[in-house]
Amino acid sequence: MKQPASRPQLFSAPATIAIALTTVLPVADVATSAEACVTVYRKGVITLPFNPAFLHVAAFPTAKGKDSRDALLMSSFFNVERDDAGDKVTRVFERDLVAWIPDLPALNPATFDPRTDVEILTDRAGEPFRHVWPNESDRVPDGVVPFEAVVVPGGFLVTPRPGRITLVNLDDPKRGEYVVVESGTGTPDCTAGKTADKIKNDHWFYHYALFHDMDGDGLKDLITARASLMPFKYQCPPVGELVYFRNPGAALQADVPWEVRVLVGLPLETSGPEVNMALADLDSDGVPEIIASHFFNSDHITVFGAPAGGQWKDVDPVRRPIRRKTIMTGQGRPFAVEPDDLNGDGRLEILTSNHQGDGCFDVTRDAIPGRVIALEQPASGRLFDDDWTTHILKDNIRPNPTFPKPVRGPGRLAPNRAIAFWPERRLETRTKPWIVVGGDEASRVWVLRPLSEKKDDWRYESVTIFDINDRYGPNTTQTLAREPRGEVISTIGGLAWRYDRPGNDGKAELYIPVFEARQIHIFSFRQGKRADRVACTGDAALPCPGS
């Protein structure tokens, strides 16, 4: 996602778990020409008064409670303008926030008005605004709290304030918020050479949240990964933890944080997961596993499981510890993880992507390029004992060159998350899903289409359906914009998708956020006017300066 120009170079801390040896199969993507573009149409563009970052589509019940309607949740942060050199922030034009478009079926891009069609959900009480860098907000499942809610995890590595997680009460006209956790503000103590049990750092930020009954009390708890805030300011190595917050049930109060339980982290170890995660029953035993990425402190994706034959409530650090398996390593910084049956064999794979530099400058030089990756379970079904297979579905993704020239790394990174989808609902479970990938600072969007329905064929045809430099003009990503003043339009945020209608006639709609342009482009697989059909562009990133 968007990386501030002043962000320090990332570094890795030694991992405390064994590295799994995985089988990495050859690259399977097949680059195609514009003539082979998928049949998709531009439905319209909506312009917002803030930068759209991560998007999620979720179904919310209607007022009568019998039906549901899709809503678009969006987070926004780093709403700034810069000086003419692009080096200094001169103005913040909007606060960090989470907002939604509550009725997507009624959305008409031609008549869209953010004053009436968009509602800001966070910090409705006004200043002092408490949210900083909100990340992936989503609907809270039924039964977690006694009201319809949206979860807001927030904070980021370089923000001046720690993160928090809140639940926005949608049943409350004032959109009151219930605190799950507010990070501490004490000065971290992690003097060089201190062992994990002596480190003190309660400056946490949160990216994602999941829900499951972890302690067996019948209430769904909130599960998340978290990372230590601003480790470079305090000369602390990044720390990651896998934790859950116990649902207080009838004792729920808006201003009382939930009790935390650490599953992986301090005081025993520092290299737990920190950013993205998913929940899925990978082995079909009725107990879900947690799949999580280690972005800052290692290059791992790990599957965490309850004790063999038991539930998550049975975890005991000594007698019945968590099972874990590193299912990917050596593929760069792992980003989002999504469980999907990609090849139609009845078992879930893990769809993921990494997040790599442009390779143009000494401080942005990553040997491994950006990739879209599928992780396949071992044929034996022994998730925690045998090795997983890594399939590279698309390779050689590079962001456009970092601009302005960076003093420190990592600079621009790409791609963003990869999402499986079907262009038509009637194809679900009958064919392999397609994949859509947001390029982040590669400034484009790809669709990957499977070349065959054979379960052992991992080849995909890759086409570019959106490019900032094509849509906004040549070299836009390398040019300081006048509006917003001094910013560079270069970032594709976290995409979302949905079906446009109920039933088998539903066709996929893609929601593509262009961060600095404050716009969301809507593409549809439903036939539109001939002039609206997308003509795919080339796949090559802009050359490095001087090359």
Side-chain angles (χ1 to χ4, degrees), residues 434-495:
W434 295 14
I435 298 169
V436 61
V437 186
D440 208 293
E441 295 275 17
S443 314
R444 53 173 58 88
V445 176
W446 298 275
V447 166
L448 278 59
R449 180 168 50 189
L451 282 177
S452 84
E453 292 299 317
K454 294 180 179 179
K455 294 177 175 56
D456 59 351
D457 189 344
W458 291 93
R459 294 175 302 150
Y460 285 78
E461 171 177 74
S462 171
V463 294
T464 304
I465 64 169
F466 185 87
D467 188 326
I468 286 176
N469 286 319
D470 178 65
R471 172 62 178 80
Y472 293 90
N475 223 41
T476 292
T477 59
Q478 311 306 119
T479 306
L480 289 172
R482 294 298 89 196
E483 188 59 43
R485 182 172 176 264
E487 271 292 274
V488 179
I489 300 174
S490 63
T491 312
I492 303 291
L495 284 75

Side-chain angles (χ1 to χ4, degrees), residues 223-255:
I223 313 161
T224 188
R226 63 186 185 182
S228 53
L229 181 82
M230 299 183 77
F232 307 100
K233 175 179 178 180
Y234 302 107
Q235 298 303 301
C236 299
V239 172
E241 291 193 330
L242 178 64
V243 303
Y244 73 90
F245 294 91
R246 294 190 68 238
N247 190 327
L252 176 70
Q253 297 183 55
D255 57 353

Side-chain angles (χ1 to χ4, degrees), residues 426-438:
R426 66 180 182 85
L427 300 176
E428 279 193 19
T429 71
R430 296 171 54 190
T431 66
K432 292 180 180 179
W434 295 14
I435 298 169
V436 61
V437 186

Side-chain angles (χ1 to χ4, degrees), residues 188-191 193-201 266-270:
D189 182 5
C190 49
T191 307
K194 275 197 173 182
T195 56
D197 62 313
K198 300 298 183 182
I199 291 176
K200 294 181 180 179
N201 184 2
L266 299 174
L268 299 178
E269 57 184 283
T270 61

Side-chain angles (χ1 to χ4, degrees), residues 335-518:
F335 201 62
V337 289
E338 179 178 310
D340 293 292
D341 183 2
L342 295 173
N343 66 347
D345 66 353
R347 299 188 305 163
L348 294 174
E349 287 78 40
I350 305 302
L351 176 62
T352 187
S353 57
N354 61 6
H355 204 48
Q356 300 298 100
D358 59 26
C360 290
F361 310 95
D362 289 343
V363 295
T364 65
R365 204 173 304 283
D366 283 333
I368 297 172
R371 290 170 174 166
V372 180
I373 300 165
L375 305 174
E376 187 179 15
Q377 295 185 36
S380 66
R382 294 159 56 90
L383 302 180
F384 299 96
D385 300 307
D386 296 338
D387 294 333
W388 291 51
T389 301
T390 299
H391 299 278
I392 301 174
L393 309 185
K394 181 173 178 59
D395 203 1
N396 299 319
I397 298 171
R398 287 291 187 186
N400 289 311
T402 303
F403 180 84
K405 181 180 178 180
V407 176
R408 295 184 294 267
R412 288 177 171 173
L413 300 172
N416 203 300
R417 62 190 180 199
I419 301 171
F421 77 104
W422 283 272
E424 304 176 50
R425 183 184 275 112
R426 66 180 182 85
L427 300 176
E428 279 193 19
T429 71
R430 296 171 54 190
T431 66
K432 292 180 180 179
W434 295 14
I435 298 169
V436 61
V437 186
D440 208 293
E441 295 275 17
S443 314
R444 53 173 58 88
V445 176
W446 298 275
V447 166
L448 278 59
R449 180 168 50 189
L451 282 177
S452 84
E453 292 299 317
K454 294 180 179 179
K455 294 177 175 56
D456 59 351
D457 189 344
W458 291 93
R459 294 175 302 150
Y460 285 78
E461 171 177 74
S462 171
V463 294
T464 304
I465 64 169
F466 185 87
D467 188 326
I468 286 176
N469 286 319
D470 178 65
R471 172 62 178 80
Y472 293 90
N475 223 41
T476 292
T477 59
Q478 311 306 119
T479 306
L480 289 172
R482 294 298 89 196
E483 188 59 43
R485 182 172 176 264
E487 271 292 274
V488 179
I489 300 174
S490 63
T491 312
I492 303 291
L495 284 75
W497 77 285
R498 76 177 191 110
Y499 291 119
D500 61 356
R501 296 178 186 173
N504 285 336
D505 188 40
K507 302 290 180 70
E509 282 185 349
L510 306 178
Y511 295 83
I512 302 170
V514 182
F515 186 79
E516 300 91 351
R518 311 178 203 171

Side-chain angles (χ1 to χ4, degrees), residues 131-180:
H131 283 279
V132 56
W133 209 287
N135 292 301
E136 305 214 29
S137 295
D138 210 343
R139 179 178 183 260
V140 176
D142 292 337
V144 176
V145 287
F147 48 82
E148 193 69 39
V150 168
V151 61
V152 182
F156 187 58
L157 186 72
V158 296
T159 52
R161 288 178 287 134
R164 63 204 299 254
I165 299 178
T166 65
L167 307 179
V168 178
N169 182 358
L170 296 181
D171 293 343
D172 176 7
K174 295 182 179 180
R175 306 306 191 218
E177 295 187 56
Y178 284 68
V179 174
V180 174

Side-chain angles (χ1 to χ4, degrees), residues 211-228:
F211 296 88
H212 180 70
D213 181 5
M214 299 292 286
D215 55 8
D217 64 356
L219 300 171
K220 293 179 181 178
D221 308 299
L222 188 151
I223 313 161
T224 188
R226 63 186 185 182
S228 53

